[in-house]
Amino acid sequence: MNKQIPPILRLPTLILSLWLLSLPLGAQELIFMEAHIDTSVDHAQLLPADQKGTVSWSAATKTLTLRDVQINTVSRILTGWMPDEIIIQVEGTNQLVCTGYDDAIAMRSSVRITGPGSLSITSEQAYAYACRDGASLTIADGVSVTAIGLNGGLVGDFVSSHLLIDKAYVTASTLRDEGMVSIGYFKELTLEGCAITLPSGAKVAELNEVMSITLDGKEEYAGKVIIAPQQSYHK
């Protein structure tokens, strides 16, 4: 005998089914200077004609290569999410400046910054580089990164984001040293093969249940922080 399911019991099932159908399947996006990148194919040049340098994308290696780039724009420069780690390969001297109210870079997935060059990231109104939604950031292999933002340099999401600086050169600060934190708000903040060289006495510590760089052990440090490889490592 077939039994009818009361409408009131069918309603939650219907709502659940509609919700599942609304979820993106394998959704991923990478937005560079407000343009959505088709990450399934290679791109030899993503940079608009009014900006200097070369920005390319390799679909096979998930690598965004910056080569002698000079960007000055009001909009966010890079954001997005992908299931695999994104590599930012830095070659030559690169300067990214966001003059608007956005973070210069805000990523929701894992990113590794590497390469023989240097990368300077500035946000005049927000954070230079922000990890969102549990994203992690690795800066490694001798690359040089400078992050300066009105509110902060390199920041996490206060919950589950990770920062690893591995044998790399990092300089971070807030504009006029008046922001909130130069490097901080991470669930984990790890230095491998390198150390804080400025300011003297600065350290990584847990403040308000997240890890930040502090000078006095009580508040996040908003001044200039320099991290460099230890003497056993040579660039």
Side-chain angles (χ1 to χ4, degrees):
M1 181 175 64
N2 293 329
K3 294 183 178 181
Q4 293 286 333
I5 300 176
I8 194 170
L9 296 180
R10 291 202 301 265
L11 184 58
T13 303
L14 176 61
I15 293 173
L16 177 61
S17 299
L18 291 174
W19 177 73
L20 289 172
L21 287 173
S22 71
L23 291 178
L25 297 177
Q28 62 183 40
E29 65 174 1
L30 193 61
I31 303 171
F32 177 72
M33 296 192 69
E34 298 189 302
H36 287 256
I37 300 172
D38 181 354
T39 55
S40 66
V41 298
D42 293 344
H43 298 273
Q45 175 62 298
L46 294 167
L47 203 60
D50 62 341
Q51 307 290 339
K52 296 180 180 179
T54 302
V55 177
S56 60
W57 171 257
S58 168
T61 61
K62 305 293 188 296
T63 300
L64 190 72
T65 299
L66 310 181
R67 184 176 297 110
D68 294 320
V69 170
Q70 303 288 320
I71 293 176
N72 191 298
T73 180
V74 124
S75 63
R76 177 171 290 161
I77 295 168
L78 181 66
T79 188
W81 177 86
M82 294 186 67
D84 300 317
E85 183 180 65
I86 298 168
I87 298 172
I88 297 179
Q89 175 74 13
V90 178
E91 299 179 1
T93 301
N94 300 270
Q95 294 183 334
L96 314 181
V97 179
C98 174
T99 60
Y101 290 96
D102 287 322
D103 306 325
I105 298 177
M107 295 301 296
R108 293 178 283 115
S109 58
S110 299
V111 172
R112 181 182 185 90
I113 301 178
T114 186
S118 64
L119 173 62
S120 174
I121 310 165
T122 301
S123 172
E124 295 185 356
Q125 302 294 332
Y127 297 118
Y129 190 112
C131 293
R132 303 300 188 197
D133 300 338
S136 66
L137 172 62
T138 300
I139 302 174
D141 306 323
V143 71
S144 177
V145 173
T146 299
I148 303 171
L150 176 67
N151 299 326
L154 302 173
V155 300
D157 63 358
F158 294 89
V159 180
S160 56
S161 54
H162 296 184
L163 172 64
L164 169 62
I165 301 175
D166 184 4
K167 302 182 186 70
Y169 299 82
V170 173
T171 300
S173 66
T174 64
L175 288 180
R176 299 176 293 279
D177 299 340
E178 296 176 351
M180 295 186 292
V181 62
S182 297
I183 303 177
Y185 306 149
F186 291 93
K187 180 65 175 179
E188 293 184 12
L189 201 171
T190 306
L191 307 181
E192 290 190 2
C194 54
I196 301 171
T197 61
L198 187 77
S200 177
K203 61 183 179 180
V204 176
E206 182 176 343
L207 303 172
N208 301 314
E209 299 184 349
V210 290
M211 307 301 291
S212 300
I213 289 182
T214 177
L215 187 57
D216 60 8
K218 299 177 182 179
E219 295 182 341
E220 295 84 359
Y221 184 67
K224 187 176 183 179
V225 173
I226 296 178
I227 297 171
Q230 295 173 338
Q231 292 182 354
S232 58
Y233 178 80
H234 300 281
K235 187 176 180 181

